[in-house]
Amino acid sequence: MNAPGGEDALIGIALAAKPLQHRYMPPATRLQLPRSSALCYRPRAAESTSGQIGVRAGMVSLLKTARTGARSFVSAVGAGLSEHPLAPHPFLRMHKGAQRLRSPQGLFRPAMLTVETVNICNNKCIVCPYTVQTRARKTMPMALFRRIVDEYVSVGGGPISLTPMVGEVFLDRFLPERLELLRSTPGITTISATTNATMARRYDDAKLASMLDAFGRVLVSVYGLDRDEYQTMVLRDDYELMVAQLVRIAALAKPGTVNVGLRLLKHRTDDEVVAWAFDLARRAGVERINVHNSTSEFFNWNHFDVSRPLPHDATWAPVVENTQQCLVPFVAFQALVDGSISFCPGADYEGHPSLALGNVSDTSLVAMLSSDRVRRLWRWDRHGVPELCKTCNFHRPVESARKIKWLLDDPNRYLGA
């Protein structure tokens, strides 16, 4: 919904109302008044004053019981509301797309899901923890992928991203089949992915065009604007191959769906970036190639030694100490290649225990989203900051979303690609 009210208004009370079973006073405190009770009895004038006093006393006692029950009910509702993930951030209820945060079961959930279908990569970027991950490198089986999609649809579905945590989406040998499955699933609204482009060479033009047609958004991460910079970053001499595949992607994709993110070691002026993008657009035969963002500052992934300087002009982002609730898990949660579900799609490249919600092979998403564990993760102010999040550079405070009115309506734009 675009405006508050309706189902949006229920977001704030969904978790509070469900455990109580009733939206009215619990049965134990409701007044049950049979016609034969003292309150239905009208004493005749000849009856004693003491009888009237007894009736009044009974009435007072019943009213006190009712008031006590009402206070207990209000207190329980208040406690439930105060524990809700949006209680400290009510402004999110006003955002377009806020209904995404409520599952059909009345559970609070992120706006989208990211699925890591492969954690294998062709590059060995010096700012990526791919080479140090201890998880087995593999491709997600189709049966497991279907299970994840079904589970996601069961909690409301919506946008989905196929951006790997650490890996390259075009190395997923089941990618064409996955895209067909997603396109034929009514509960999936949009598909996005981030790629380094190079491995698009595995597909001919017809197949690549068919795959790209399934995406609503594709972000190509470019790790240098010349051969030297690119090779220094990815430790492979594939700059010309990357450019050729980026040109193919831009030429074959639907207009407006391809964006470029520059991850640079060398400082580049705006004129240099514009000239580079213009040349690629000319080669692709398109009007323009949109440069979504550009940076020469890199996150440490809670792994890299930031005292070790990066080549050329690149720098490490400063070490941080996070205390405020992070926005990123509100936007998406992450399915890792083995079916494990992580609370966060940011820096959890190992499936850290502090963020693990379970595995879809033996636990439903409904059960995970109903768990005490996820309830605690939504409220750092009450239950503390998870270990992995304390110094994470991907952290963005929830308050930073105040001005991003499209965030929940188009989460792929923020995170998925």
Side-chain angles (χ1 to χ4, degrees), residues 288-353:
R288 59 176 295 186
I289 289 181
N290 179 50
V291 177
H292 179 64
N293 53 33
S294 177
T295 187
S296 294
E297 182 180 82
F298 298 97
F299 298 160
N300 63 41
W301 292 83
N302 288 320
H303 167 76
F304 292 105
D305 179 3
V306 297
S307 67
R308 177 181 61 84
L310 288 167
H312 301 299
D313 307 310
T315 59
W316 293 110
V319 175
V320 294
E321 293 184 13
N322 300 316
T323 58
Q324 298 182 58
Q325 189 78 39
C326 183
L327 173 65
V328 176
F330 283 73
V331 181
F333 54 150
Q334 172 87 38
L336 297 173
V337 72
D338 66 348
S340 299
I341 303 298
S342 173
F343 181 68
C344 180
D348 191 15
Y349 65 92
E350 290 282 43
H352 197 276

Side-chain angles (χ1 to χ4, degrees), residues 212-413:
L212 291 171
D213 189 60
F215 289 101
R217 190 176 181 88
V218 175
L219 179 68
V220 179
S221 290
V222 174
Y223 297 102
L225 301 190
D226 62 46
R227 181 180 177 184
D228 170 67
E229 181 179 20
Y230 186 84
Q231 184 173 2
T232 302
M233 173 67 93
V234 307
L235 303 183
R236 291 189 182 278
D237 188 11
D238 285 341
Y239 177 72
E240 292 300 333
L241 175 61
M242 179 277 295
V243 169
Q245 297 309 311
L246 172 52
V247 167
R248 287 184 69 219
I249 291 171
L252 296 172
K254 294 179 295 189
T257 58
V258 176
N259 297 275
V260 171
L262 303 181
R263 320 291 180 234
L264 306 178
L265 296 176
K266 298 179 181 180
H267 173 72
R268 304 288 185 172
T269 65
D270 289 346
D271 288 344
E272 287 179 292
V273 171
V274 168
W276 178 86
F278 180 81
D279 180 61
L280 260 65
R282 178 187 58 79
R283 292 172 60 178
V286 298
E287 183 178 349
R288 59 176 295 186
I289 289 181
N290 179 50
V291 177
H292 179 64
N293 53 33
S294 177
T295 187
S296 294
E297 182 180 82
F298 298 97
F299 298 160
N300 63 41
W301 292 83
N302 288 320
H303 167 76
F304 292 105
D305 179 3
V306 297
S307 67
R308 177 181 61 84
L310 288 167
H312 301 299
D313 307 310
T315 59
W316 293 110
V319 175
V320 294
E321 293 184 13
N322 300 316
T323 58
Q324 298 182 58
Q325 189 78 39
C326 183
L327 173 65
V328 176
F330 283 73
V331 181
F333 54 150
Q334 172 87 38
L336 297 173
V337 72
D338 66 348
S340 299
I341 303 298
S342 173
F343 181 68
C344 180
D348 191 15
Y349 65 92
E350 290 282 43
H352 197 276
S354 67
L355 298 180
L357 300 183
N359 192 298
V360 295
S361 297
D362 52 38
T363 308
S364 69
L365 285 183
V366 168
M368 294 184 206
L369 295 174
S370 305
S371 68
D372 181 66
R373 181 172 186 77
V374 79
R375 178 183 63 81
R376 296 172 67 86
L377 286 169
W378 286 125
R379 293 300 300 271
W380 295 2
D381 58 333
R382 295 188 171 200
H383 306 291
V385 181
E387 190 63 33
L388 191 67
C389 305
K390 291 179 179 178
T391 57
C392 178
N393 287 127
F394 288 90
H395 176 274
R396 294 293 179 272
V398 177
E399 290 298 306
S400 66
R402 282 190 178 273
K403 296 183 179 180
I404 314 176
K405 301 297 185 183
W406 49 262
L407 175 66
L408 302 177
D409 191 52
D410 189 13
N412 299 86
R413 177 180 168 191

